[in-house]
Each structure stands twice: as structure tokens, then as C-alpha cells.
Amino acid sequence: MNRHDPLTAFPPDVRRSLCGGPAMLVDLGAIQRNFVKLASMTDGICAAIVKGDGYGHGMREAAHALKNIGAELFFAARFEDALILRDDLGPEPRIAVLDGVAAQNMSEACARNVTPVVNSLEQLHAISTLAKQLSQKVPAFIHLDTAMNRLGLAPGDDESATPLLESCDIQAYMTHLASADDVDLDLCHLQANRLAARVQPLPKAPLSIANSCGVFLAKELHGEIIRPGKSTFGINPLTDDANPMQEPATVLAPVVQLRLLKKGEAVGYSCTWHAPEPRRIAILAIGYANGFMRDNSNRGYVTFDGVRAPVVGRVSMDLTAVDLSAIPENAVHIGSLAVIVGKTITYRQLANTIGSNEHEAIIALGRGCRRFYANKECDDE
């Protein structure tokens, strides 16, 4: 995108829609290109992970874009999201539920061709019961916990689980890397070895190990199915290096008022900032209700034409004040658009400001802002 006009890549009607509040502009072509890059890094299957409403970018729109370039396996976090994907994407792609499926929903999941990820003996018993009722095996991914102590069958469950696995058409055995983000290769390899040891006496099936960071760490961590979630949506999978992925989202907020402050005048709730000298400030139509976190108060910043304007005072529910001291006079006016995240502010820079990760920062903005889409026909142009 042109740094002087963040709307360049987006339809003309979007510009007219931005006068009243903030918006997230999502380039679906960038999501597609990220997925193609990731798929080229593995000899196996690259799964499309669209949990967290597509990491804040829009689950349904992203899933359509990914299906259009050949994604054949999708993972949602919740059963209800998987049902939405099934309705949207049609009968062809495999759709799985990372959290698994509750016993009372197992029959519907099977009927709707939604595949549970089995995380517990309770879920495995429910599948076994259904398989007996149907007189056929039920498709399932089997999640074996190897370090996270979150979801997944624990090592102590293996003896009870083994006979029940005969009820499953096992799509893959999977585990989740606990410290790939921290480049803890020792733990990553330990988990892969634990998984290999646990599946050795079990029915044969593919392995699925690597998340986004694991894909970049080592090929031997991939397994036959990689699950790169955040990197598909442009979140940097590398700890210190430049981001190898394209960040699809630009978030913009309009200026709704300009003010001149005298020296000593305060801004916002609790008067947490006072003008050290006469200052120009702009009031933006964005706040924590739109996902611009309150932790940005007196520490965050936005940009106008690439120039930073720091947040001054507390971020309110719907409004945020920024200092225009570094911006040429008359360069910002009512209706000017501040970049919250985009060409001049990366996902990681925004997250670092609020002491969080990119996932939380972008998901919050995606929930709180209207979303518009470029390359909606998925043509990459």
C-alpha cells in the first residue's frame, strides 16, 4: 500500500464509509500469499487455521479466500464455528474442531462432516459410543499432550485410550509445541520424540506437530500436516528477525475534532496528561470499545503520513487524543485518517506498546472495528 494513502488497495466506497468511526481494511490477497508461502515449506499438507475469527481478520472471508487457492483442511476452535464453515465452504474441505466436540453434539458433528479433535477420554468415549450406533468408524484427530498441560490426552490416558481408538478413523495424531515461539529447540524436539514414542504402538496415521514458529524452526518438526495459524494472517513467526509474512490488515481512525491547548491544560479522564506548552491535539474516533487498548494511554501512538502522533491522556471507550506537535500545521483536518496499524505501524509494534502479543492486539481491533475487504474475488491483483 502507498504510505501516503492507506486506502490505495481498497475499493472507492470504503473511503466514503470512514467518516464516522474506525475500520479495519483486510487484504485477502496477502492472506492467500502467506498461505502459499507456508504450503511451499512443507512436503505434506498445510492446514488453514481460522480460529479467533481468523485472528481478527474475519474467519468466513479468510476461509473463502483460502479455499479458493486450494486449502483442503480447516481448523476452527469451536464447534459452532466449524458448522458455519461447513455451511459456507460446502461439502468438500475437511473441517476440524480444535476444542473437540461435546458428547451431545457428536452425532451432529458426524452428520455434518465436521471432524472432532479428541482431547480427552470423555470425548473418545463419546466417539466410541457413536461408532457402535453407526456400525462404522468415526473420523477424528487425536491430540496427544506432550508438554502444554492444556488440551490433549495425557500419557497416563494411553492405556485406557488404546482400545477406544479402534472406533476412530484417525486423520492424524497431533500435538502442540509449547515453546516454539521462544526458539526452545530442545523442548520442541523432546515433544516430537514423545509423540513418536506414544504413537508407536497405536494404529498408523499421519503426524501433525508444527505451528507457525515450528514450521520455520526445523523441517523434522513438521510431521505430515503443519498448522501455521498466526503466520497465515501475517503475524511474525520469528522472534527477532524481519517478518517474512505480509500483514493483511490496516486499521484507520478518523479525526473528529481538533483542539488547541494552553500550557498546563489536561486531557482525558483523571487528567493524566498536561500540555507542557501550547499544543495541538486531535481527537480520534477510536477507543477501547473498538479494540484500541486502554494500555495505549500515554504510551501508544498513531501516524499521519508516516509521522508519529503520540497518544496523550487516557484512551476512552470511543475516543483517543493524540499530540500533533510533530505534524505540520494544517496537514491534519477533520476527517483525516490516522493509521492505528498498517504500513507505518506493524502488528508487533502495536502489541509491544501495550505489552501484549500480536494475536490479542489484532483480534481486539478486528472485533471492534468494521471490516472491509480488498481482493474479495481473491485475484491477487
Side-chain angles (χ1 to χ4, degrees):
M1 295 177 201
N2 187 297
R3 104 178 171 99
H4 296 290
D5 185 0
L7 298 182
T8 299
F10 296 88
D13 60 318
V14 172
R15 189 185 301 272
R16 296 190 295 271
S17 302
L18 286 172
C19 58
M24 174 181 281
L25 313 174
V26 179
D27 183 351
L28 293 172
I31 295 172
Q32 291 176 312
R33 290 186 289 273
N34 287 337
F35 186 80
V36 169
K37 178 184 180 76
L38 292 160
S40 72
M41 296 175 67
T42 182
D43 297 327
I45 295 170
C46 183
I49 313 299
V50 292
K51 64 181 182 178
D53 196 15
Y55 287 75
H57 298 78
M59 177 186 76
R60 300 174 76 170
E61 293 82 359
H64 273 291
L66 293 170
K67 182 191 174 189
N68 285 353
I69 57 165
E72 298 177 346
L73 172 59
F74 291 80
F75 284 90
R78 313 280 189 234
F79 179 51
E80 55 267 32
D81 289 336
L83 293 180
I84 291 170
L85 288 177
R86 177 56 71 211
D87 289 339
D88 280 4
L89 302 181
E92 292 305 322
R94 284 191 289 170
I95 297 173
V97 187
L98 289 166
D99 286 2
V101 174
Q104 63 268 28
N105 295 324
M106 200 66 75
S107 180
E108 181 183 6
C110 187
R112 297 289 301 277
N113 193 21
V114 168
T115 306
V117 174
V118 172
N119 295 296
S120 67
L121 288 175
E122 291 79 6
Q123 293 175 351
L124 193 51
H125 277 292
I127 284 182
S128 179
T129 299
L130 179 62
K132 290 174 183 176
Q133 293 171 354
L134 298 175
S135 299
Q136 64 183 44
K137 292 187 176 185
V138 175
F141 288 84
I142 308 301
H143 183 183
L144 302 176
D145 179 34
T146 56
M148 281 284 281
N149 288 305
R150 194 177 59 172
L151 293 180
L153 294 165
D157 295 330
D158 287 358
E159 185 176 353
S160 298
T162 299
L164 297 173
L165 291 176
E166 296 299 328
S167 303
C168 300
D169 176 9
I170 301 173
Q171 305 294 292
Y173 297 105
M174 56 189 286
T175 197
H176 193 65
L177 297 176
S179 292
D181 296 45
D182 305 311
V183 197
D184 187 343
L185 277 169
D186 289 342
L187 181 56
C188 290
H189 286 295
L190 177 62
Q191 288 188 253
N193 292 337
R194 285 174 173 172
L195 179 65
R198 288 179 64 185
V199 303
Q200 197 278 328
L202 302 179
K204 301 302 180 187
L207 301 182
S208 176
I209 304 172
N211 56 9
S212 288
C213 296
V215 169
F216 284 82
L217 284 181
K219 196 77 174 279
E220 58 267 27
L221 295 174
H222 287 191
E224 286 81 20
I225 301 172
I226 60 171
R227 308 191 312 276
K230 70 180 185 180
S231 54
T232 298
F233 293 94
I235 295 173
N236 194 344
L238 306 179
T239 303
D240 299 315
D241 295 317
N243 192 353
M245 316 312 295
Q246 298 180 28
E247 298 183 353
T250 294
V251 176
L252 305 172
V255 173
V256 292
Q257 193 166 67
L258 296 168
R259 303 185 71 91
L260 286 174
L261 301 185
K262 298 176 182 177
K263 180 179 178 179
E265 286 191 305
V267 173
Y269 286 115
S270 302
C271 301
T272 61
W273 184 87
H274 296 77
E277 56 192 27
R279 290 287 174 93
R280 292 178 298 119
I281 65 168
I283 310 302
L284 308 179
I286 191 169
Y288 53 79
N290 311 111
F292 192 60
M293 303 290 198
R294 199 164 180 261
D295 283 343
N296 281 293
S297 302
N298 293 308
R299 60 195 292 199
Y301 61 92
V302 303
T303 64
F304 292 95
D305 196 17
V307 180
R308 290 189 180 193
V311 173
V312 292
R314 291 248 175 98
V315 174
S316 302
M317 183 180 293
D318 304 292
L319 299 167
T320 297
V322 297
D323 184 355
L324 299 179
S325 296
I327 312 290
E329 197 165 350
N330 300 322
V332 175
H333 52 81
I334 303 298
S336 290
L337 297 174
V339 174
I340 307 301
V341 68
K343 188 73 172 178
T344 52
I345 302 175
T346 68
Y347 290 7
R348 182 165 288 179
Q349 287 170 332
L350 175 67
N352 286 345
T353 299
I354 59 174
S356 184
N357 62 16
E358 297 100 309
H359 315 50
E360 183 178 29
I362 299 302
I363 288 172
L365 288 167
R367 286 175 175 166
C369 299
R370 293 171 298 159
R371 286 190 300 238
F372 299 88
Y373 292 90
N375 297 319
K376 202 159 188 178
E377 298 304 315
C378 308
D379 56 13
D380 273 7
E381 294 179 2

